[in-house]
Amino acid sequence: MTDDSVKHYLPEEVPDHLFTQSRLSRMGLAPTAEHVAFVVYPEQRQQFKLYDIGATRKRKQQKGFSLVQKDATVEQILAERKRELEIRKIQLVPVKK
């Protein structure tokens, strides 16, 4: 897939079924297909690949110790996303002098 044919979303526009790879990992999931879109943060000049949660599989449990939470639910991740958007909205409001 080329970047031109893939949809780009602002953080507040991302549909609830699309997640970044790091969020999928926190839910104990791995993508089984290519990314379907990007989330773009223009103020940081960054973009991240988004994967459809329908095209995922459970990760194999690895032995060892990790500080990364691997059992987050979709609801927890969506609540986190909502809080981040509220913070982003506050941060992007221009300061009046």
Side-chain angles (χ1 to χ4, degrees):
M1 273 187 185
T2 63
D3 288 3
D4 296 336
S5 66
V6 178
K7 185 117 170 91
H8 289 71
Y9 293 101
L10 288 171
E12 50 275 1
E13 299 169 341
V14 176
D16 288 349
H17 67 282
L18 298 180
F19 296 91
T20 61
Q21 189 159 2
S22 65
R23 294 282 167 89
L24 288 174
S25 180
R26 289 197 39 224
M27 289 186 273
L29 301 172
T32 57
E34 286 291 311
H35 63 280
V36 295
F38 287 97
V39 59
V40 180
Y41 293 86
E43 66 280 358
Q44 299 169 356
R45 293 184 181 88
Q46 287 186 310
Q47 68 179 12
F48 299 96
K49 294 176 180 176
L50 291 170
Y51 299 88
D52 191 325
I53 196 164
T56 60
R57 63 172 170 76
K58 279 279 192 201
R59 287 187 179 272
K60 292 179 183 149
Q61 291 296 325
Q62 294 182 346
K63 292 186 169 121
F65 182 74
S66 174
L67 296 174
V68 179
Q69 180 185 359
K70 299 271 195 218
D71 59 353
T73 65
V74 173
E75 291 77 19
Q76 287 171 321
I77 297 293
L78 290 176
E80 227 174 69
R81 185 187 281 177
K82 187 177 176 185
R83 281 193 304 276
E84 289 169 359
L85 289 175
E86 289 168 1
I87 291 168
R88 182 174 187 270
K89 201 158 116 182
I90 291 166
Q91 290 173 340
L92 291 179
V93 172
V95 178
K96 294 180 182 174
K97 293 183 180 181

